[in-house]
């Protein structure tokens, strides 16, 4: 049995709650050995497996090795990008920032938008306010819908007043001819962050923001979304609810 498989069996699933005390030295060592072994072996499937197995071992040494995958084949790079978005640590956002800069330079090439979507989604998944600058950087240089959606939904997952402000900043830059395309996503991101709902009319939202932005604070916990919104939000982030949680509004 490979070290990567042993590690995968030893750690919790990504959706499971983390232990506050962090990974044990044994878990860290196992992850390091599995990643180093997979990179040395050079097999893409083995590298992806080791990266995915390391997600719960949130430690700088492990994150540094996971990030090494960002420089490898596309499948490995995307696995590493996704893993970093699930590893809340100051180093994760730094690694993703570097990957974003690399992917941004590819604009105009066929694979550029897939890379931007992947990294923007991982930045948003972390929920780190330090990711706001990445999510609003040159927002419409790539106009592909999945890229723009990743920016809005990423901001909607960062529970900080600066994220609300950033969404309104992007809303003002969209332009009236594009608002119909993005307003549903803007609305969902704002409802998720604020708990308020002003519908699909941007003027109503802008009026609400003018009235509330001074000293605005985002509550630590999101209010439960209405059913249709919750389904969209959960589908995007891969959140699974227990059957009883999905009933009602």
């Amino acid at each position: 049995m490979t070290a990567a498989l042993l590690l995968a069996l030893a750690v919790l699933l990504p959706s499971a709650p983390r232990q506050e005390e962090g990974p044990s030295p044994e878990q860290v060592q196992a992850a390091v050995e599995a990643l180093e072994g997979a990179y040395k072996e050079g097999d893409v499937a083995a590298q992806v497996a080791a990266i995915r197995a390391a997600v719960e071992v949130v430690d700088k040494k492990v994150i540094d090795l996971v990030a090494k995958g960002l420089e490898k084949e596309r499948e490995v790079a995307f696995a590493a990008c996704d893993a970093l978005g699930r590893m809340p640590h100051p180093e994760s956002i730094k690694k993703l920032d570097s990957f974003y800069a690399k992917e941004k330079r590819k604009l105009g090439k066929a694979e550029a938008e897939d890379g931007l979507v992947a990294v923007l989604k991982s930045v948003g998944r972390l929920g780190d306010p330090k990711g706001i600058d990445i999510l609003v950087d040159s927002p419409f240089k790539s106009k592909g819908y999945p890229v723009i959606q990743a920016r809005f939904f990423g901001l909607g997952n960062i529970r900080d007043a600066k994220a609300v402000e950033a969404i309104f900043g992007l809303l003002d830059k969209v332009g009236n001819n594009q608002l119909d395309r993005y307003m549903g996503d803007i609305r969902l991101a704002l409802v998720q962050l604020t708990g308020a709902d002003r519908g699909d009319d941007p003027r109503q939202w802008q009026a609400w923001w003018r009235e509330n932005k001074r000293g605005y604070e985002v509550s630590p916990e999101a209010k439960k979304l209405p059913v249709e919104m919750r389904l969209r939000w959960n589908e995007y982030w891969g959140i699974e609810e227990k059957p009883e949680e999905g009933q009602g509004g």
Side-chain angles (χ1 to χ4, degrees), residues 117-204:
V117 171
V119 68
L120 291 170
K121 188 168 185 176
S122 286
V123 168
R125 191 189 296 280
L126 282 173
D128 187 336
K130 292 180 180 177
I132 293 173
D133 286 344
I134 301 172
L135 292 166
V136 301
D137 176 63
S138 303
F140 302 106
K141 191 170 183 179
S142 173
K143 300 183 185 300
Y145 171 74
V147 178
I148 306 301
Q149 182 186 51
R151 294 186 186 277
F152 282 120
F153 280 7
L155 290 168
N157 201 47
I158 299 174
R159 304 205 64 76
D160 189 284
K162 291 181 180 178
V164 181
E165 184 178 4
I167 291 174
F168 280 102
L170 292 186
L171 189 157
D172 291 339
K173 294 177 181 178
V174 169
N176 292 332
N177 60 332
Q178 292 290 327
L179 271 175
D180 286 346
R181 188 181 190 195
Y182 303 125
M183 197 59 216
D185 294 334
I186 295 171
R187 176 188 179 188
L188 177 50
L190 286 171
V191 174
Q192 171 69 11
L193 274 180
T194 68
D197 189 1
R198 293 299 181 269
D200 291 326
D201 186 343
R203 294 168 298 181
Q204 292 293 323

Side-chain angles (χ1 to χ4, degrees), residues 37-148:
Y39 290 141
K40 185 176 180 179
E41 181 182 343
D43 179 73
V44 168
Q47 291 175 39
V48 170
I51 287 168
R52 289 176 176 169
V55 165
E56 284 298 316
V57 191
V58 182
D59 176 89
K60 185 180 184 303
K61 290 181 182 178
V62 177
I63 288 169
D64 286 345
L65 280 169
V66 167
K68 187 176 178 180
L70 297 172
E71 302 296 328
K72 298 190 177 294
E73 290 85 347
R74 209 65 173 155
E75 184 179 349
V76 178
F78 279 18
C81 178
D82 181 72
L84 289 169
R86 301 172 190 272
M87 302 175 80
H89 189 282
E91 286 300 313
S92 295
I93 195 71
K94 292 179 184 178
K95 305 298 186 185
L96 289 171
D97 190 7
S98 296
F99 189 57
Y100 170 75
K102 177 182 174 183
E103 293 302 304
K104 182 182 172 183
R105 289 194 294 269
K106 295 180 180 178
L107 280 175
K109 297 181 180 179
E111 75 273 16
E113 296 216 345
D114 286 346
L116 284 176
V117 171
V119 68
L120 291 170
K121 188 168 185 176
S122 286
V123 168
R125 191 189 296 280
L126 282 173
D128 187 336
K130 292 180 180 177
I132 293 173
D133 286 344
I134 301 172
L135 292 166
V136 301
D137 176 63
S138 303
F140 302 106
K141 191 170 183 179
S142 173
K143 300 183 185 300
Y145 171 74
V147 178
I148 306 301

